[in-house]
Amino acid sequence: MADPKKTNLTPEEQMSRWTRRNFLVGGVAAAAGIAGFSWLRSTALDNEVPAPLRRVLEGNEKFSRAAFFSHSHLAQEFPVSMARMPKSNGDVGLDDEVEDADWRLRLIGGGGASELTIADLKALPKTESVNEIKCVEGWSEIVRWGGVRFSDFARKFAPAGPSSPYVAMMTPNGEYYVALDIESAMHPQTLLCYEMNGQPLEEDHGAPLRLAIPVKYGIKNIKRIGSIRFTQDRPADYWGERGYDWYAGL
Ligand SMILES: Nc1nc2c(c(=O)[nH]1)N[C@H]1C(S)=C(S)[C@@H](COP(=O)(O)O)O[C@H]1N2
Ligand SMILES: [Mo]
């Protein structure tokens, strides 16, 4: 090839220099990519995700919590006429029978009640919200949710709860569990629901009580809540342990 320092190049010389440079840059990038990928694969897994990727997810979490999260920033609300019944999706922790009359909500760490019945919850102001549940599998549905605000519930039955940084919710049998940051739990659209689309909650949608939390992906909308625990330490999360983002914010 011609002298690389030469400045007054013919079009052919210019083209050949560009092509050569692109080839070199592309080759280095590809090699770095392959090396980077092998390196990534050699790193320890952190909750089923290579640790460096987990760091990126955590970086995203810090960024969205700091930059976007606010209780005045609402998920979109829709007209009631657009509400539909979503398919029932995910049945982890729902296999055994639970009679509404036998069901109790166990409360841990909120400094208030230790057990509630569905009647205790229904005594709080009923709140409705029509918003979209978004599943990580790629579908979404607009639902009219009915129940009580988590924030109303916490202030009434777990007065020390909102000063903890985290909340953990579990099915009665402990098989499905979600962890939430307290800001998302206390968001005004986060509801403990006993109705969907004006009807009592169906069993496969989480009767007698499930969570609707439109600031999070569907995975955090736990069905059939058996216990709510307020805690200082970041709790385990079912899908967080299986490779999904712990925060799962929208
Ligand atoms: N107990 C329990 N809750 C759960 C799940 C589950 O498997 N078990 N799946 C979650 C997922 S991935 C989604 S998308 C929503 C779906 O809610 P739906 O069945 O009312 O549509 O429930 C969430 N809550
Ligand atoms: Mo989902």
Side-chain angles (χ1 to χ4, degrees):
M1 198 172 124
D3 174 5
K5 295 200 184 76
K6 186 178 169 198
T7 51
N8 55 335
L9 303 174
T10 66
E12 289 74 22
E13 284 170 328
Q14 180 68 72
M15 188 53 77
S16 124
R17 187 178 283 183
W18 280 338
T19 307
R20 190 172 138 79
R21 183 182 298 148
N22 288 347
F23 178 75
L24 283 172
V25 169
V28 168
I34 291 163
F37 185 67
S38 321
W39 169 76
L40 206 51
R41 284 209 308 180
S42 73
T43 58
L45 291 181
D46 178 349
N47 285 320
E48 305 301 314
V49 173
L53 283 188
R54 179 57 69 186
R55 296 293 91 76
V56 172
L57 292 175
E58 285 165 1
N60 289 345
E61 168 184 338
K62 286 203 188 89
F63 180 74
S64 55
R65 286 180 76 163
F68 301 123
F69 200 84
S70 148
H71 284 178
S72 56
H73 182 164
L74 300 180
Q76 188 177 358
E77 289 278 339
F78 296 84
V80 170
S81 63
M82 289 177 74
R84 299 283 179 276
M85 206 55 188
K87 63 171 176 175
S88 108
N89 200 56
D91 59 0
V92 180
L94 304 183
D95 12 72
D96 21 71
E97 301 281 310
V98 170
E99 294 294 326
D100 288 16
D102 302 335
W103 175 90
R104 294 289 180 278
L105 178 63
R106 297 204 313 125
L107 284 183
I108 305 144
S114 59
E115 235 183 48
L116 301 175
T117 63
I118 198 72
D120 294 328
L121 287 155
K122 287 183 176 170
L124 290 171
K126 185 174 171 190
T127 305
E128 289 202 341
S129 178
V130 184
N131 58 55
E132 213 171 0
I133 183 166
K134 295 178 184 168
C135 177
V136 291
E137 290 166 4
W139 57 267
S140 67
E141 196 65 87
I142 296 166
V143 179
R144 171 184 168 202
W145 307 100
V148 300
R149 284 203 169 101
F150 180 87
S151 59
D152 289 344
F153 147 84
R155 289 189 189 107
K156 170 87 176 173
F157 295 114
S163 60
S164 319
Y166 299 106
V167 188
M169 301 189 189
M170 240 183 214
T171 55
N173 66 8
E175 285 176 16
Y176 197 80
Y177 38 95
V178 302
L180 300 168
D181 51 288
I182 195 75
E183 298 92 333
S184 299
M186 295 295 283
H187 185 277
Q189 286 167 307
T190 300
L191 305 183
L192 293 170
C193 293
Y194 45 79
E195 280 182 16
M196 277 170 83
N197 298 329
Q199 299 300 313
L201 204 55
E202 290 164 21
E203 209 153 292
D204 54 352
H205 290 287
L209 193 73
R210 62 103 39 95
L211 189 69
I213 182 161
V215 297
K216 300 288 189 191
Y217 275 103
I219 49 178
K220 296 285 192 185
N221 292 239
I222 181 173
K223 300 186 277 193
R224 196 190 282 173
I225 304 169
S227 68
I228 297 182
R229 180 169 64 93
F230 295 90
T231 172
Q232 297 298 315
D233 307 309
R234 199 173 93 152
D237 181 271
Y238 184 88
W239 284 112
E241 289 179 336
R242 287 161 180 78
Y244 284 89
D245 171 19
W246 182 93
Y247 189 68
L250 279 161

